[in-house]
Amino acid sequence: MTEAKVRIDKWLWAARFFKTRNLATEAVSGGKVHLNDGRVKPSHGLKPGDRLRIRKGELEFRIEVTALSERRGSASEAETLYREEPDSIAAREARRDERRLQHNAAPQPHGRPDKKARREWRRLTGK
């Protein structure tokens, strides 16, 4: 008896890691998705128990596949398809807190500059 397998790009789309199958295919082809610490093609079969490392921008997800699906369902259904490692969750939360602190530390303009500030800006830039 053969094991049930699902294409990795279809599964990533169904698990809501990517908005479209085309984006999922490009991510797998581009090396952003690793299956069991190795690069794969988008058509590679995925089975329960496989470990995935998914890189989206500056975020990295390390997950274990728990169920298969070729159909994209609700977000609550998608959460049942995988289990994320605790250290992966902690790393993403730490990165989120770091971004929040950087945003709060950056100077924020208080609105549109007035006439005096515009004149000063022109004088400084030489325009």
Side-chain angles (χ1 to χ4, degrees):
M1 186 171 163
T2 61
E3 264 186 48
K5 289 189 178 184
V6 175
R7 285 176 57 114
I8 193 167
D9 59 343
K10 276 189 180 183
W11 187 88
L12 288 167
W13 169 73
R16 293 182 170 263
F17 282 101
F18 296 97
K19 203 168 197 174
T20 64
R21 267 196 61 200
N22 189 34
L23 289 174
T25 302
E26 288 175 5
V28 175
S29 298
K32 306 287 192 243
V33 178
H34 290 252
L35 173 66
N36 299 325
D37 295 324
R39 286 185 67 168
V40 291
K41 292 182 178 181
S43 61
H44 194 276
L46 194 62
K47 61 186 183 305
D50 284 342
R51 296 195 178 278
L52 291 174
R53 194 174 75 226
I54 304 163
R55 187 109 177 124
K56 285 182 67 178
E58 58 188 33
L59 299 177
E60 183 174 309
F61 299 87
R62 288 186 306 276
I63 62 170
E64 179 182 350
V65 177
T66 57
L68 301 177
S69 178
E70 288 186 352
R71 187 180 65 82
R72 187 176 173 103
S74 67
S76 57
E77 286 178 28
E79 287 178 355
T80 63
L81 299 177
Y82 62 91
R83 183 177 49 82
E84 188 170 4
E85 296 176 4
D87 56 338
S88 173
I89 295 169
R92 280 191 303 109
E93 288 176 355
R95 182 63 186 130
R96 183 189 67 215
D97 293 340
E98 184 179 313
R99 279 195 317 268
R100 186 177 295 133
L101 289 174
Q102 286 176 349
H103 176 69
N104 291 339
Q108 302 291 324
H110 294 288
R112 189 172 171 178
D114 59 0
K115 190 171 189 176
K116 183 178 177 182
R118 285 194 302 271
R119 284 181 177 165
E120 183 69 18
W121 177 254
R122 285 188 193 117
R123 187 183 66 75
L124 290 172
T125 59
K127 292 184 178 182

